[in-house]
Amino acid sequence: MAQNFAHGNYSHTQKKARNGGGGRTPRDRARRTLSQNFLVDRHAVELMVKAAAPEGLVLEPGAGEGALTLALAEAGARVVGYEIDPLLAGKLAARARRDPRIDVVRGDFTAARAPREPFAVVGNIPYSVTSKIVDWCLRAPAMTSATLLTQREYARKRTGDYGRWSLVTVESWPWFSWRLGDTIGRESFRPVPAVDSAILRILRRPEPLVRGRRSYQELVELGFGGVGGSVRASLKTRFQGVDAALAAAGVARDAVVGHVHPDQWIMLWERLCR
């Protein structure tokens, strides 16, 4: 069943995929504007479903042509697929109209109200709105996990795979774990994007690792503020006992913020804020 929802615009600037044809059709241009790179590799779909282990309610941003939507339903999930392209949403709704496990919403996923019941998010999402979708997921109180197919560079940055940690990951770490999954090559999509993708898993922890959300996030934001060029210099602008806390957490006195592991931030919070 198709539902109308708040429409938005997914703009995406991406290198043009090489092709042997001539000019672009209006449909080709629409796909480019909406950042549409459809997952056409069955094995890649299977890897997404395996990583997500779907059950219960699943929200899918960017349902597109429905390859992942149908696979999630076949795996036992109750799927609400969001698609901003009215033509694609209509086609998918018609395709799934006899399947009670699937609802199709015509509109912008990031404008949706999060369900109150526990749910997961699974999707091959547009590169251009990755951060917006991730932020939506982190704010949803009932979200249990997010399994997102993102640009590989983004997934590596958020999971510390470059040996550095980002503010988004560190700030959310007491409540969510971040895991890097399988790489999905660019050849698994049509049109072919300019870069490879990877599966990013964000899982809500059964119990938070800290109890003081505001004090923890203020500590992290201060550390990432960049005052003095090191974590030590930044924290010393507000806290006493910083050197002892750094030593207890195993953080070097000259450590730059990106090299401090999220678990070490929790130790710093326990020493400085509790």
Side-chain angles (χ1 to χ4, degrees), residues 106-120:
R106 298 173 183 169
D108 182 351
F109 169 79
T110 62
R113 179 176 297 177
R116 294 184 178 181
E117 66 178 288
F119 69 96

Side-chain angles (χ1 to χ4, degrees), residues 163-254:
R164 296 177 63 90
W165 296 91
S166 70
L167 173 60
V168 171
T169 306
V170 174
E171 200 168 34
S172 64
W173 191 259
W175 299 272
F176 296 94
S177 65
W178 297 69
R179 302 177 186 175
L180 178 64
D182 291 295
T183 295
I184 306 297
R186 66 197 75 184
E187 67 280 356
S188 296
F189 301 86
R190 294 294 181 275
V192 179
V195 296
D196 294 333
S197 295
I199 298 173
L200 173 64
R201 286 273 284 163
I202 307 171
L203 296 96
R204 185 180 296 278
R205 301 185 188 278
E207 294 291 335
L209 301 179
V210 304
R211 293 296 179 185
R213 179 185 290 269
R214 176 173 293 183
S215 61
Y216 173 81
Q217 292 182 339
E218 287 178 350
L219 174 74
V220 171
E221 288 169 4
L222 176 64
F224 273 83
V227 178
S230 69
V231 174
R232 178 175 180 267
S234 295
L235 297 185
K236 272 183 168 290
T237 63
R238 189 180 303 177
F239 293 99
Q240 301 284 333
V242 170
D243 288 342
L246 291 171
V251 179
R253 288 165 62 93
D254 62 348

Side-chain angles (χ1 to χ4, degrees), residues 12 18 42 107 142 158 180 239:
H12 181 40
R18 293 182 180 178
R42 181 64 191 176
R158 290 291 179 258
L180 178 64
F239 293 99

